Amino acid sequence: MAGSIIKHKGFVKSVANNSLTVSIVNQSACSSCHANGACSVADFQEKEIEIPYWNSKYSPGQEVTVLFRESAGFKALFYGYILPFILVMFILILIFEATGNEALAGLSALGILIPYYITLYFFRHYLKKVFKFELEEI
């Protein structure tokens, strides 16, 4: 199902000139079961999402549904976790085979993450266009 949509209920936290901030509560799967009293408070996380919009029909405190395409979620997973893992493993093997020094290979493999995440930071405006969140009124 490439066209499936991920939905989260949230509340509009603030409204700016061309965007709004929505607060969603992310909860683990076990927190909705009958034994949720045994779970800790750490199972709930509040996240804020900045969503660009062009109309002024939303106001702070309004309940909305945040929509996100599942295919974009897989792309985010790739950029956030899979590609950095591949880079770390590639550099680790490459440097170790070239030098035979485990410490240098390990430090180089971890060090490759610094330019990687700095590059992601510089492309954050592009990534905001790629990973579009949409709103739906409740």
Side-chain angles (χ1 to χ4, degrees):
M1 267 192 214
S4 58
I5 305 256
I6 299 169
K7 296 182 179 185
H8 283 285
K9 288 186 180 179
F11 294 93
V12 177
K13 191 168 188 174
S14 65
V15 179
N17 292 338
N18 59 357
S19 68
L20 53 91
T21 304
V22 176
S23 176
I24 62 170
V25 176
N26 192 17
Q27 56 185 354
S28 66
C30 66
S31 65
S32 61
C33 78
H34 67 282
N36 66 353
C39 294
S40 68
V41 178
D43 294 332
F44 295 92
Q45 292 180 342
E46 184 175 341
K47 296 183 181 181
E48 291 183 359
I49 300 172
E50 183 181 341
I51 303 172
Y53 78 106
W54 293 274
N55 54 19
S56 59
K57 64 181 180 179
Y58 299 107
S59 60
Q62 182 178 357
E63 189 174 5
V64 293
T65 301
V66 179
L67 307 172
F68 190 67
R69 285 189 333 242
E70 189 174 349
S71 61
F74 289 128
K75 196 180 295 185
L77 176 73
F78 177 76
Y79 287 132
Y81 296 103
I82 297 171
L83 186 57
F85 176 75
I86 292 169
L87 282 173
V88 166
M89 294 306 294
F90 177 74
I91 295 298
L92 182 69
I93 293 168
L94 181 73
I95 299 296
F96 181 72
E97 290 297 323
T99 66
N101 187 340
E102 290 179 6
L104 179 63
L107 289 174
S108 299
L110 291 176
I112 195 69
L113 293 176
I114 295 168
Y116 176 76
Y117 284 112
I118 288 173
T119 304
L120 280 184
Y121 177 78
F122 285 125
F123 283 101
R124 70 186 182 277
H125 298 297
Y126 169 74
L127 293 174
K128 280 184 183 180
K129 294 176 185 174
V130 172
F131 303 117
K132 290 184 180 179
F133 290 97
E134 297 176 16
L135 288 180
E136 184 177 79
E137 288 187 54
I138 295 180

